[in-house]
Amino acid sequence: MLNLQTLNDIYFSLAAGTRPQAMLVQDASGSWQPISSEELCRRIRAVATALRSWGINKTDRIAILAENRWEWAVADFACLAIGAIDVPLYPTLLADQLRVLLADSGARVIFVSSRAQYEKIAAIRQQTSLERIVIMDEAGAPDAVPFSSLTSIQNTDPDFASRANSVRPHDLATLIYTSGTTGDPKGVLLTHGNIASNVNYSTAEFGFTPTDRCISFLPLSHITARHLDYALYAQSVTVAFCPVFDQLPQALQAVRPTIFVGVPRVYEKVRQVAEQRASASPVRKRVLNQALATGRKHRDEVAAGIRPGSLAWKLFDSIAYKKIRAGFGGEVRYFIVGGAPLGLDTAHWFASAGIRILEGYGLTETSPVLAINTPSANRMGSVGRPLPNIELRIAEDGELLVRGPNVFSGYWQGRGDGEAFDPGGWFRTGDIGHVDKDGFLHITDRKKELLKTSGGKFIAPQPIENKLKISYLVANAAVVGDRHKFASALIAPNFGALEPWAKEQGISAGSRSELVAHPRVVAEYQKLVDTTNSNLANFETIKRFRLVPDEWTIDSGELTPSLKLRRRVIAQKYETEIAAFYADEATASR
């Protein structure tokens, strides 16, 4: 187990090593190039020296607005080393959203990745406290400091090491604005000790080694991805950066990671692609169905980390399961998921395909990991056992309450602190959960997202949405119906699958709006809804649904950067459609 006291201890562990391949990055030609631990630490010291020369001191805020790239990590470690507080910002945010967060945080310097990000900041700079903009791309921008000019500094601060060592566990490390699935973002304050104590335990049972490789593609603005990278650096794992999500398939084949960490939507998409490809051929579809049927008989073995020995399993492993693993690069030994509930159906599907997914759980306010399934203790449907240094209890209303060294002390400017903790100092997670007899934690839903029907029944929307997303024809779904007699659903189709399916069926439509309104298309989705309803209690069943002609994305606002639904945005955008579900509620079926 690691024994980190502050995040700067990770820098010192890197500096003490002689690893030729601490990072992998793509050059202009697309080739993957290594960055050694020695070179990485030299760049960190150089950037820290520049910050100090600008008068940046302990507790000053420095923003980072960039995709996942080596410069992000260097800027982060440089800030931490001098005791500054970094403020990670999602690259997908609009200029006006950035203005609010930058003004609120009082950031003095911002690192941006590209000219496009620079333009956002330039447009709102006068309404912030920003003194300098540093740009990572070589193309540069007017009035911006080139990142390369900082990393080329040779005479670095002679007091760098003593300054980094002077940072204590109680010192603030970062100010992270939550993405806000149901409300406005709040600034979460995390100390060096909060995150370091969590990194010490989160991957202790995995046995990561210097021969391992992992791709950093989940947004580093999110604590899950950032925590993961810290854990990898601390254990000498090579980190490869993939700044554009659409480039992930190519990166997987080039890097061939041994550790893969994704949010549930990534796994759901892999499943949908596999099933969609199989459906294009009766033979392939039959082979996949037979492989999954065989795999279901052995999925408990797979979940336990045991390679099944039956001849049938070995046969399908050679002709089906390995093809799914090949989509991840073919060498992954640990598949991990977090950021949102995976869904038992998805976990079962992958286990039936020979892939064990280890699910974890946490929140930004908890640095983030509270529980995780491990190679030696895994239970599908749970989020694992709590970390050893964490206490938890379940409140009378089912809400999970936690305490531990990883739990934050409060929000920026104290906003929301009164609601965050109970009188005994336990942090209110806002999640509904329970612990089974073997100590595994199960999270059923977000407390604020529970729907309460007019008949007094509570409906957890996420499990129902996950069941709908099993089909490759569904990209996303949102269950609605709070304070109404019954539940309904908005379904965003996977147009990449629906449009070819419609063509095969001889269905013609001039637009996506016409396509989702076509009676045969609606009938096909009705079958999916009926299948979902067959496994639900009567009060949970979806009585009505509507196909929307839109793709829900981060950029269009329906999804958070961790690909969770922004329910408030969806409710506002589809206010008319939701109202139509309940226009005749007085006579609607119960």
Side-chain angles (χ1 to χ4, degrees), residues 202-225:
S202 61
T203 60
E205 295 187 43
F206 285 79
F208 294 162
T209 74
T211 61
D212 280 317
R213 303 174 301 281
C214 186
I215 298 177
S216 177
F217 70 93
L218 297 176
L220 284 170
S221 317
H222 194 283
I223 186 60
T224 298

Side-chain angles (χ1 to χ4, degrees), residues 528-571:
L528 302 178
V529 171
D530 291 344
T531 299
T532 298
N533 283 343
S534 67
N535 295 308
L536 299 174
N538 183 58
F539 72 89
E540 296 177 302
T541 55
I542 299 166
K543 301 296 192 296
R544 295 176 179 176
F545 73 94
R546 174 74 177 266
L547 300 177
V548 300
D550 313 308
E551 293 184 11
W552 295 349
T553 67
I554 298 171
D555 290 340
S556 58
E558 297 89 357
L559 303 181
T560 72
S562 56
L563 304 182
K564 291 182 284 191
L565 297 179
R566 290 190 188 272
R567 297 186 187 275
R568 187 174 64 172
V569 171
I570 291 170

Side-chain angles (χ1 to χ4, degrees), residues 153-173:
I153 293 174
Q154 297 299 319
N155 297 319
T156 56
D157 182 4
D159 297 324
F160 173 87
S162 61
R163 203 181 310 280
N165 271 316
S166 71
V167 173
R168 312 315 306 159
H170 63 264
D171 289 331
L172 289 173

Side-chain angles (χ1 to χ4, degrees), residues 261-438:
V261 182
V263 293
R265 193 68 193 116
V266 175
Y267 288 99
E268 290 164 358
K269 286 185 176 181
V270 170
R271 175 184 178 176
Q272 289 179 335
V273 168
E275 293 185 332
Q276 183 180 354
R277 287 176 177 171
S279 68
S281 162
V283 173
R284 281 189 298 206
K285 185 173 184 179
R286 185 165 60 251
V287 169
L288 179 62
N289 288 340
Q290 290 175 344
L292 293 173
T294 297
R296 278 192 290 272
K297 300 175 184 177
H298 298 280
R299 67 188 182 198
D300 289 341
E301 295 171 69
V302 171
I306 300 170
R307 181 179 174 84
S310 76
L311 292 176
W313 194 93
K314 289 180 179 179
L315 170 64
F316 285 115
D317 183 53
S318 66
I319 63 175
Y321 310 149
K322 75 172 185 180
K323 291 183 179 179
I324 298 173
R325 293 197 301 273
F328 293 96
E331 295 185 11
V332 177
R333 63 192 188 102
Y334 293 128
F335 292 89
I336 303 171
V337 67
L342 176 64
L344 189 57
D345 290 308
T346 302
H348 280 169
W349 188 90
F350 276 96
S352 298
I355 292 175
R356 173 178 64 165
I357 300 177
L358 302 170
E359 184 172 3
Y361 159 75
L363 300 92
T364 302
E365 290 88 343
T366 59
S367 304
V369 185
L370 288 169
I372 190 168
N373 283 288
T374 67
S376 61
N378 177 42
R379 176 159 296 172
M380 288 187 292
S382 82
V383 293
R385 288 176 174 147
L387 299 188
N389 62 340
I390 290 169
E391 298 177 83
L392 61 80
R393 68 182 180 88
I394 306 298
E396 290 184 4
D397 62 358
E399 183 178 7
L400 174 67
L401 309 180
V402 298
R403 285 195 307 207
N406 59 310
V407 178
F408 81 137
S409 58
Y411 294 104
W412 179 243
Q413 310 288 12
R415 301 187 193 111
D417 285 359
E419 301 175 0
F421 299 90
D422 80 350
W426 293 82
F427 172 61
R428 297 183 170 112
T429 65
D431 288 315
I432 303 299
H434 69 273
V435 179
D436 66 25
K437 63 182 179 61
D438 296 316

Side-chain angles (χ1 to χ4, degrees), residues 12 14 46 61 84 93 130 132 135 162 181 191 278 285 332 373 386 423 434 453 476-477 535 553:
F12 287 115
L14 285 167
R61 275 80 64 202
L93 293 177
L130 290 174
R132 285 180 172 83
I135 188 166
S162 61
T181 58
T191 66
K285 185 173 184 179
V332 177
N373 283 288
H434 69 273
T453 68
N476 249 307
N535 295 308
T553 67

Side-chain angles (χ1 to χ4, degrees), residues 22 104 264 311 445 489-490 524:
D104 186 64
L311 292 176
D445 218 292
L490 297 164
E524 187 66 21

